Amino acid sequence: MKTVRNVLIGLIVSGVLAGIIVSCGGGGGGYGSSGGSTTPMYDVGGTLSGATGTVVLRLNGGSDMTKSNGPFNFASAVAYTNTYNVQVIDGSDRCTVSPNGAGTMGLANVTNVTVTCAAQGTQKVIRSAVLNGAQEGSMSTATGVGGVIVDPTDTDVSGNVLITGGITFSGVTATAQHIHQAPTGNPTGTGPVIVGLTLASDGKTAVVPSGARLTPAQYTALLAGELYFNVHSANNLCPPAPTCAAGEIRGQINVQGGVLASSVSLDNTQEVPASTSTATGRGTVIADAATGAILTTYIMHNVANATMAHIHTSPSGPGSTGSVIVGFSTLQTNIDGAGTNLAYPPVPSQMSAYLTAFTANYLYFNVHSSNNLCAPAANCGAGEIRGNIAVQ
């Protein structure tokens, strides 16, 4: 009898422990081991709809899986309190990821991420990229991130569309940096330069020149995932070539979703109160929607005697003034010989505490100066031109 009782007690205890594990781990969750301690792990999944064919779904920059319309669930789980970010690669459609596709993992599986695809219309095109040696076929350990924003409604007389964006990178001294176009139907192939990127003085930031445009054929290639960033160098990491003159790191510009992005104009009318400046500018920002890491941000402007530039909060809504959250510590003048000035922050930079404000359009670009154009103030120390950031 004693033996039977012990067996029964053992079974009951085992059942209770199993119940605890299921409760903590969620329906499809479980535990991962790290350093001798257990960490709850949870699944990320949802539903894909509207795609005209198969797409690649990506979690936290990896765990790629090819899916057709219907439910999906990533094989890789995410630890409690870690960030997660669902993104899409689809060369045939415009795809959006629901806001809950990026965030911080709680104590339950994420099961209701929606990825919705449809034909590209007049909406702005936002694509991001990760740069590394693997995509180039080099031995480089350098890395980078970047992205572009393209407005198909902003065309010139030839139908060319406005593009902004850029890259930030580390681990390589660049000799050149560009956007290239791969051969049609061969996104991973090599092709000619279509946009030369301007390298900033830090050697880690490269931006699309002010006013750059894509031809209709180049825009079509962007939608198909056939454009790529390329950073070139003199390093001996690209055998059999003696240097990496053809490219050391590369990143396909093909990832949709998972970022917050905005490209807006700056002028005197958006200042509070308005200044009398005739200067203008354009600010661009692309940030990871889960971590707040900034892929690229900068302001191109023609403010004379600029003293500072920042991203600020609008604490009580668009049009209000607030504190600095990202300082653009480098101010370069006349970067193109045409009077264009460039302001940008250190690499890396982040805005993790302000993602909610970004989503609500409660941020703005601001360029400050010593000019006497901001009466009744003696100068424009509080800002000469401003651009209210709106998520696109």
Side-chain angles (χ1 to χ4, degrees):
M1 292 295 294
K2 182 177 179 180
T3 301
V4 171
R5 183 183 66 182
N6 290 343
V7 170
L8 290 173
I9 291 173
L11 290 173
I12 291 170
V13 171
S14 297
V16 171
L17 290 174
I20 292 173
I21 290 173
V22 169
S23 176
C24 290
Y31 274 78
S33 177
S34 177
S37 63
T38 55
T39 303
M41 307 289 289
Y42 297 96
D43 293 343
V44 177
T47 305
L48 167 68
S49 64
T52 55
T54 59
V55 308
V56 174
L57 298 178
R58 176 171 290 175
L59 177 65
N60 288 346
S63 303
D64 290 9
M65 62 177 176
T66 302
K67 293 292 294 182
S68 300
N69 292 327
F72 65 86
N73 194 78
F74 289 98
S76 299
V78 178
Y80 171 57
T81 74
N82 282 7
T83 57
Y84 66 91
N85 196 339
V86 177
Q87 296 177 296
V88 194
I89 299 173
D90 181 355
S92 301
D93 306 293
R94 178 182 187 270
C95 299
T96 58
V97 181
S98 56
N100 68 328
T104 300
M105 182 58 70
L107 289 169
N109 294 324
V110 178
T111 61
N112 59 346
V113 176
T114 58
V115 179
T116 306
C117 301
Q120 175 67 46
T122 59
Q123 310 95 329
K124 289 190 177 179
V125 177
I126 299 166
R127 297 288 189 274
S128 61
V130 173
L131 289 77
N132 51 44
Q135 294 177 76
E136 186 67 58
S138 76
M139 299 186 296
S140 178
T141 58
T143 58
V145 290
V148 299
I149 303 173
V150 175
D151 185 354
T153 68
D154 189 332
T155 59
D156 63 14
V157 293
S158 300
N160 303 319
V161 296
L162 185 69
I163 179 173
T164 64
I167 56 176
T168 54
F169 55 91
S170 62
V172 55
T173 299
T175 55
Q177 52 289 318
H178 313 104
I179 296 175
H180 293 246
Q181 181 176 345
T184 301
N186 181 19
T188 60
T190 59
V193 173
I194 60 170
V195 179
L197 302 180
T198 300
L199 184 65
S201 59
D202 68 347
K204 300 178 181 180
T205 301
V207 300
V208 173
S210 178
R213 292 181 178 274
L214 300 180
T215 67
Q218 293 165 352
Y219 175 66
T220 298
L222 171 66
L223 298 182
E226 293 169 352
L227 301 189
Y228 61 95
F229 292 117
N230 210 8
V231 177
H232 310 253
S233 80
N235 296 326
N236 183 16
L237 296 170
C238 302
T243 70
C244 293
E248 179 173 334
I249 58 174
R250 168 178 172 152
Q252 293 298 129
I253 310 173
N254 62 357
V255 181
Q256 303 185 55
V259 297
L260 298 176
S262 184
S263 179
V264 296
S265 297
L266 286 76
D267 60 32
N268 67 306
T269 65
Q270 297 177 72
E271 283 291 351
V272 182
S275 75
T276 58
S277 176
T278 57
T280 58
R282 175 166 290 276
T284 297
V285 57
I286 304 175
D288 186 289
T291 67
I294 293 175
L295 281 64
T296 183
T297 188
Y298 58 93
I299 302 171
M300 297 274 201
H301 66 92
N302 59 3
V303 173
N305 306 310
T307 56
M308 297 181 291
H310 312 103
I311 295 176
H312 296 247
T313 61
S314 296
S316 58
S320 62
T321 59
S323 58
V324 173
I325 65 165
V326 180
F328 289 17
S329 55
T330 302
L331 304 177
Q332 291 183 240
T333 58
N334 196 22
I335 60 169
D336 57 0
T340 303
N341 306 321
L342 173 66
Y344 61 93
V347 176
S349 291
Q350 61 86 33
M351 53 195 309
S352 59
Y354 299 96
L355 293 176
T356 299
F358 197 158
T359 302
N361 300 331
Y362 277 30
L363 303 176
Y364 63 95
F365 295 108
N366 207 11
V367 178
H368 312 250
S369 79
S370 58
N371 298 323
N372 183 16
L373 299 168
C374 299
N379 57 47
C380 294
E384 180 174 332
I385 61 171
R386 166 176 170 157
N388 297 318
I389 294 174
V391 174
Q392 294 159 345

